[in-house]
């Protein structure tokens, strides 16, 4: 069974996608960026954008009955390779060991965004 999670309290976008889709006990969360509750981009330095994006991801996970500690895979997008060192310093502050599997793409964003993240997480019983 496929369940599409949407709720006005969840961070959202004006683009055509579901914030999260659940299949069984796996939750697929769409890319989260530095946006406010209305979906407007919040321009910030790299750290501010990364923390806001992961905060938005965490809000969706929580709404769906999961959390950052239940993330099994992240995909991370950096606007520029120059952010790689800062990203690697911030990541273990936001995700704890044992770390989820991870993919990082640089030069993978357009526009003004510096960072975006999506993930796969587990919901329900472990």
């Amino acid at each position: 069974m496929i369940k599409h999670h949407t709720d006005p309290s969840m961070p959202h976008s004006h683009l055509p996608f579901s914030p999260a889709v659940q299949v069984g006990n796996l939750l697929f969360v769409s890319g989260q960026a530095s946006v406010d509750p209305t979906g407007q981009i919040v321009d910030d330095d790299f750290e501010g954008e990364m923390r806001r994006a992961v905060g938005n991801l965490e809000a969706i996970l929580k709404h769906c009955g999961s959390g950052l500690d239940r993330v099994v895979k992240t995909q991370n997008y950096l606007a520029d390779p120059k952010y790689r060192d800062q990203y690697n310093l911030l990541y273990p502050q936001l995700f704890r060991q044992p770390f989820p599997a991870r993919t990082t793409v640089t030069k993978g964003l357009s526009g003004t965004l510096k960072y975006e993240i999506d993930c796969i997480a587990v919901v329900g019983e472990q």
Side-chain angles (χ1 to χ4, degrees):
M1 183 166 128
I2 299 173
K3 179 178 181 180
H4 294 81
H5 291 270
T6 58
D7 188 89
S9 68
M10 294 168 56
H12 70 280
S13 173
H14 303 290
L15 299 173
F17 61 82
S18 296
V21 177
Q22 184 176 342
V23 179
N25 69 337
L26 291 179
L27 184 69
F28 300 83
V29 181
S30 293
Q32 297 301 306
S34 179
V35 298
D36 67 16
T38 69
Q40 296 299 310
I41 293 173
V42 178
D43 188 31
D44 204 342
D45 62 13
F46 181 80
E47 180 175 353
E49 286 199 20
M50 184 170 174
R51 288 186 182 281
R52 189 171 293 105
V54 174
N56 287 339
L57 181 80
E58 185 173 29
I60 291 172
L61 290 167
K62 183 177 179 180
H63 178 83
C64 297
S66 190
L68 292 177
D69 62 330
R70 310 223 36 222
V71 171
V72 295
K73 171 91 162 77
T74 65
Q75 294 189 142
N76 302 266
Y77 307 89
L78 312 180
D80 194 295
K82 70 182 180 184
Y83 300 126
R84 189 178 293 126
D85 289 343
Q86 191 174 10
Y87 159 72
N88 282 316
L89 288 173
L90 291 167
Y91 195 89
Q93 294 174 26
L94 301 166
F95 292 92
R96 303 288 183 224
Q97 290 186 358
F99 297 114
R102 178 179 98 167
T103 299
T104 305
V105 177
T106 58
K107 295 189 177 184
L109 295 173
S110 61
T112 62
L113 289 175
K114 296 172 185 72
Y115 178 79
E116 185 173 332
I117 183 171
D118 63 61
C119 78
I120 301 169
V122 176
V123 295
E125 298 293 320
Q126 287 204 101

